[in-house]
Amino acid sequence: MTGKKLSKIFISFLAAVSFLSLGELGLRLFWEMAPSVRRPFYQRSKNPYIRYELIPGAVSANIKINSAGFRGSEITIEKQEGAYRILMLGDSELFSILLPEEDNLSRQLEKLLNEKSGGLKFEVVNTGVEGYNTYQEFEVLKDKGLKYAPDLVVLNYVLNDPEPGEYYFGNNFLSRNSALYRYCIYRVKKGLIKRERKRLKIKTEPDHFNYLHSGESFLHLKNTILEMAAMLEERKIRLVVHIFPVSSLAVNDFKENYPYSHLHQMIKDITHKNIICVDAIEEFNRLEMTPQEVSINYQYNESHKNALALGVMAELLCRVFRENNLISGI
């Protein structure tokens, strides 16, 4: 090979490296996988798997974010002596943007536990963020939650939690470190998912939830929950999977006409010796509560739970904790 050919190859190589480097730099600076909602208390996360997170110290209307980057009062990394700490993972149902702080599930659970504790101090940490899926919640647990040394973890599960598939990059070096690689995978997966949804003619809410609980999306979700359970078991921390029923206009009641019973059962069938599964729909039915009664605004198709429903769920969790000997003193 002549020196002239070697020179051309070297120049081409340098051009390719420069092009890829500029692409990587540009994507790191300007591209973000936008959150499902945009609000003044969100920022881009340094962890590409979390994507976006709450801004520590942000205040907006009735929302106050503490210095740890969670909704709620200040919390120190070190627990008080004798305190029992519960870490709550979840999305908008846990975050509860439409409710004052004292009415969300975490605060109601914490108040209830402390009222019944006989002196034992309970702390409930709300790590919920609107739009998060289960995989993002697992990343929050690993990236932030474990340093708070929780005694118990509650994964609050909502039926849209297997999405979005286009953000599942795989746990490898390029996924963790290259924005260019993530962008290429994202564009390909987004296109494939869009085409598949069009082929399957997914239009209604039941179509959507059934789609999410099939194929790769559900397999990824199942593996994520099992990995979470195993990781926590190594640390001697129990995992409670708490299922939120849907209370949208597509749901007339929580009994024989509830269209998602089979999806609740799919989550219950994700078994691991470190998992305790709790289905709030059973408690709503026991108390004869309807979707209209538990939704914060049913007539406007608002499936998020109101303060009354979250209080019932807090009571249910307390009872499950006691029955399974997860906590003492209540």
Side-chain angles (χ1 to χ4, degrees):
M1 189 177 290
T2 64
K4 198 170 187 179
K5 286 184 178 179
L6 284 172
S7 179
K8 286 183 178 180
I9 290 172
F10 181 68
I11 290 172
S12 297
F13 174 76
L14 283 180
V17 170
S18 298
F19 176 78
L20 292 173
S21 298
L22 285 172
E24 177 70 27
L25 180 61
L27 287 168
R28 287 192 180 207
L29 289 175
F30 302 111
W31 177 62
E32 64 173 323
M33 292 169 288
S36 56
V37 290
R38 290 187 178 275
R39 303 196 193 279
F41 41 79
Y42 288 133
Q43 65 181 357
R44 183 177 178 179
S45 175
K46 293 180 181 178
N47 184 325
Y49 288 78
I50 295 176
R51 292 168 39 218
Y52 62 99
E53 60 192 12
L54 295 164
I55 301 172
V59 178
S60 178
N62 68 326
I63 304 298
K64 294 182 180 180
I65 311 304
N66 64 27
S67 59
F70 306 135
R71 185 181 185 189
S73 56
E74 288 297 322
I75 180 171
T76 60
I77 292 179
E78 295 295 326
K79 287 186 291 188
Q80 298 179 32
E81 186 176 351
Y84 189 97
R85 183 171 286 173
I86 299 172
L87 189 79
M88 302 282 276
L89 303 171
D91 61 5
S92 55
E93 286 277 24
L94 186 63
F95 188 75
S96 295
I97 190 171
L98 296 176
L99 293 175
E101 170 66 22
E102 63 269 17
D103 285 342
N104 69 45
L105 177 60
S106 299
R107 293 289 73 76
Q108 291 204 59
L109 178 60
E110 182 179 78
K111 181 182 179 185
L112 198 58
L113 288 168
N114 282 315
E115 285 175 350
K116 297 183 177 183
S117 70
L120 182 65
K121 172 69 174 177
F122 286 93
E123 296 177 340
V124 180
V125 183
N126 180 0
T127 71
V129 173
E130 296 170 289
Y132 271 15
N133 59 43
T134 302
Y135 192 67
Q136 287 170 290
E137 291 157 13
F138 188 27
E139 283 294 312
V140 168
L141 173 64
K142 293 185 289 184
D143 202 45
K144 305 176 183 181
L146 288 177
K147 69 181 181 181
Y148 289 92
D151 299 287
L152 179 67
V153 172
V154 179
L155 173 65
N156 293 279
Y157 185 82
V158 181
L159 293 190
N160 64 0
D161 279 353
E163 68 178 350
E166 62 264 34
Y167 297 125
Y168 297 154
F169 299 123
N171 193 6
N172 57 58
F173 178 81
L174 284 174
S175 293
R176 289 277 175 186
N177 296 282
S178 173
L180 180 61
Y181 178 83
R182 290 193 300 274
Y183 177 78
C184 292
I185 295 297
Y186 164 72
R187 297 307 307 181
V188 169
K189 283 195 171 187
K190 191 174 182 66
L192 290 173
I193 289 171
K194 185 177 181 179
R195 184 163 55 182
E196 183 181 37
R197 291 177 65 92
K198 186 176 181 180
R199 178 180 62 83
L200 295 173
K201 298 179 180 178
I202 295 171
K203 297 178 179 179
T204 66
E205 180 186 276
D207 289 343
H208 176 60
F209 287 156
N210 281 307
Y211 169 74
L212 292 179
H213 289 79
S214 64
E216 182 183 357
S217 291
F218 184 72
L219 180 61
H220 191 92
L221 169 86
K222 179 179 179 179
N223 290 337
T224 299
I225 292 177
L226 290 173
E227 186 180 349
M228 187 186 305
M231 185 195 74
L232 291 171
E233 183 183 32
E234 291 178 358
R235 293 165 170 80
K236 295 182 172 54
I237 304 170
R238 297 301 298 274
L239 173 64
V240 174
V241 177
H242 179 218
I243 305 173
F244 273 68
V246 177
S247 54
S248 65
L249 287 173
V251 179
N252 295 317
D253 63 59
F254 290 131
K255 297 182 178 179
E256 61 273 3
N257 293 317
Y258 183 66
Y260 307 119
S261 296
H262 61 297
L263 302 183
H264 284 233
Q265 189 58 51
M266 289 178 70
I267 303 306
K268 295 175 189 178
D269 288 341
I270 302 175
T271 55
H272 187 283
K273 60 182 179 180
N274 196 41
I275 291 177
I276 296 170
C277 194
V278 183
D279 192 346
I281 199 170
E282 297 170 4
E283 187 70 358
F284 289 164
N285 279 330
R286 187 183 72 83
L287 297 173
E288 298 292 331
M289 298 179 75
T290 66
Q292 295 84 348
E293 289 175 303
V294 306
S295 171
I296 199 165
N297 203 335
Y298 181 82
Q299 64 179 333
Y300 288 102
N301 202 30
E302 180 57 73
S303 183
H304 293 90
K305 306 301 171 286
N306 58 32
L308 173 65
L310 294 175
V312 167
M313 296 166 95
E315 290 272 7
L316 172 63
L317 286 173
C318 280
R319 189 166 71 247
V320 170
F321 296 165
R322 183 175 61 250
E323 291 172 352
N324 289 274
N325 299 314
L326 299 180
I327 56 180
S328 59
I330 66 168

